[in-house]
Amino acid sequence: MPRHIDDTQQLDSKTRRKLEDQRRMQFRRAIEDRAEAQRLAVETSDFPDLIAAAYLTSAKAGRRSARPTG
């Protein structure tokens, strides 16, 4: 079975640290985005009428901005 080879082992320590930091930040952002999405889902699940109203309002606003001027 082929093993996963980490390409960062061949890099110097500064570059390796930078890549690891980038990977950690991406992971952290993904966790924060998911937590935010879950929080919003919980908040909006209590008010399903507001979701529909917000959708209708944004759809109307989108149609207004799409009208040609002139």
Side-chain angles (χ1 to χ4, degrees):
M1 181 187 321
R3 294 176 64 185
H4 175 72
I5 299 174
D6 191 7
D7 293 335
T8 59
Q9 292 175 353
Q10 298 173 358
L11 303 173
D12 65 335
S13 64
K14 185 176 182 180
T15 306
R16 186 174 47 244
R17 201 173 322 122
K18 183 178 178 181
L19 290 172
E20 289 171 356
D21 286 346
Q22 287 176 345
R23 195 174 326 143
R24 267 195 296 274
M25 287 306 296
Q26 287 176 334
F27 188 71
R28 185 175 180 175
R29 281 189 215 106
I31 291 172
E32 290 171 353
D33 289 345
R34 180 181 163 120
E36 179 70 10
Q38 288 177 333
R39 185 185 65 78
L40 288 173
V42 168
E43 285 180 9
T44 57
S45 67
D46 293 339
F47 306 101
D49 334 350
L50 294 178
I51 296 171
Y55 173 77
L56 292 174
T57 304
S58 66
K60 287 179 184 177
R63 277 188 254 137
R64 285 188 203 133
S65 63
R67 289 183 183 165
T69 57

